[in-house]
Amino acid sequence: MLKVDIDTKMKFLHGFSHKTRIQILESIKTEEKTVSQIVDDLNGNQSNISQHLACLKGCGLIVGRQDGKYVYYRVRNQLVRDLLTMFDVVLEDVQNDIACCKNHID
Amino acid sequence: MLKVDIDTKMKFLHGFSHKTRIQILESIKTEEKTVSQIVDDLNGNQSNISQHLACLKGCGLIVGRQDGKYVYYRVRNQLVRDLLTMFDVVLEDVQNDIACCKNHID
DNA sequence: CACACATATTAGTGATTGCTAATATGATAA
DNA sequence: TTATCATATTAGCAATCACTAATATGTGTG
């Protein structure tokens, strides 16, 4: 039986709720990368990406390891990778019915 | 090969990004319910819940059917149900490392 | 028809969020 | 040590979001 606190769950799910974070996850889904590689990949700004990385780490979705002056980030484990894949699978099935949330919530 | 537009994907994922919406999804995961049943379940307010339902519908996660003066909502299909289950499975594995986002993003 | 009930929509506002720019930390190399 | 590069953190503000209250729509019933 799975026992999960709803607030913890929301923190976890928060990781998936921003375009930049999803792009980061996709960027490091199969190979670890340094912050600057990710910044380049996404054509983003260093501070911003760094903040999103901190968020993803806090959400338990990625892990980082320091190697010299670089920090390498990767997706936490296979389960998280599976979840990312599952998004695409479900989305493939659902996408024609998505109209959602121009102004969000409504 | 899965082909998914990132903006469509974000609209889809937006559905999972709010506590009330997750609670709604859990509430109707295994059985359809009317709006007022959901409002009762969550101890929420009618307008608010109705807005979140519209969001979830727009995100492609739930469907509604009118029956007389009631509208019954249910989780769209088994894939979405699987995804909800998967959240719990992954979370079970990850939850001890979640500290995320007190002020969000950081 | 008028009324009651169920749900949806809109408007307005307070709160939250995420960005940019600036600065700080930490690590290597000269 | 100082300089440089990589990353992290902070502050402040602009933009976005979600709530409540009010109102509208739609459906059945007397």
Side-chain angles (χ1 to χ4, degrees):
Chain A
M1 196 57 308
L2 299 172
K3 173 79 160 72
V4 171
D5 169 61
I6 178 77
D7 291 313
T8 303
K9 186 172 188 169
M10 289 323 300
K11 287 179 183 170
F12 170 74
L13 291 175
H14 179 73
F16 301 111
S17 72
H18 193 285
K19 183 171 175 174
T20 302
R21 290 193 290 274
I22 291 294
Q23 289 178 139
I24 289 172
L25 288 168
E26 283 171 355
S27 167
I28 61 176
K29 189 179 175 190
T30 57
E31 47 169 349
E32 64 176 13
K33 289 183 184 168
T34 67
V35 177
S36 13
Q37 281 181 288
I38 297 167
V39 170
D40 285 355
D41 265 28
L42 305 203
N43 237 281
N45 131 319
Q46 184 269 321
S47 167
N48 188 232
I49 298 292
S50 189
Q51 289 174 66
H52 282 296
L53 286 167
C55 175
L56 286 166
K57 189 162 64 166
C59 294
L61 297 176
I62 66 176
V63 293
R65 75 179 171 87
Q66 180 114 242
D67 181 7
K69 62 180 176 177
Y70 296 95
V71 178
Y72 288 85
Y73 284 99
R74 64 176 184 281
V75 169
R76 180 188 184 76
N77 63 20
Q78 189 56 38
L79 273 176
V80 175
R81 251 173 254 125
D82 291 345
L83 192 49
L84 290 171
T85 301
M86 183 104 178
F87 286 152
D88 292 333
V89 173
V90 181
L91 192 47
E92 181 78 3
D93 182 73
V94 165
Q95 68 185 324
N96 295 324
D97 296 283
I98 295 181
C100 167
C101 298
K102 295 150 209 315
N103 319 314
H104 282 141
I105 206 173
D106 50 43
Chain B
M1 189 71 289
L2 299 171
K3 171 81 160 76
V4 172
D5 168 62
I6 178 76
D7 291 313
T8 304
K9 187 172 188 169
M10 289 322 301
K11 286 179 184 171
F12 169 74
L13 292 175
H14 179 73
F16 301 111
S17 72
H18 193 285
K19 184 171 176 174
T20 301
R21 290 194 290 272
I22 291 293
Q23 289 177 140
I24 290 172
L25 289 168
E26 282 170 357
S27 167
I28 61 177
K29 188 178 175 190
T30 57
E31 46 169 350
E32 64 175 13
K33 288 183 183 168
T34 68
V35 176
S36 14
Q37 280 181 290
I38 298 167
V39 170
D40 285 355
D41 265 28
L42 306 204
N43 236 281
N45 132 319
Q46 183 268 321
S47 167
N48 189 232
I49 298 292
S50 189
Q51 289 173 68
H52 283 296
L53 286 167
C55 176
L56 286 166
K57 190 163 62 168
C59 295
L61 297 177
I62 67 177
V63 294
R65 75 178 171 88
Q66 180 115 252
D67 181 7
K69 63 179 174 177
Y70 297 94
V71 178
Y72 289 84
Y73 284 99
R74 64 176 184 281
V75 170
R76 179 185 185 77
N77 63 19
Q78 189 56 38
L79 273 176
V80 175
R81 250 173 254 123
D82 291 346
L83 191 50
L84 290 170
T85 301
M86 184 113 177
F87 285 152
D88 292 334
V89 173
V90 181
L91 192 48
E92 181 79 1
D93 180 74
V94 166
Q95 68 186 323
N96 295 324
D97 296 281
I98 295 181
C100 166
C101 299
K102 295 149 208 317
N103 319 314
H104 283 140
I105 206 173
D106 50 46

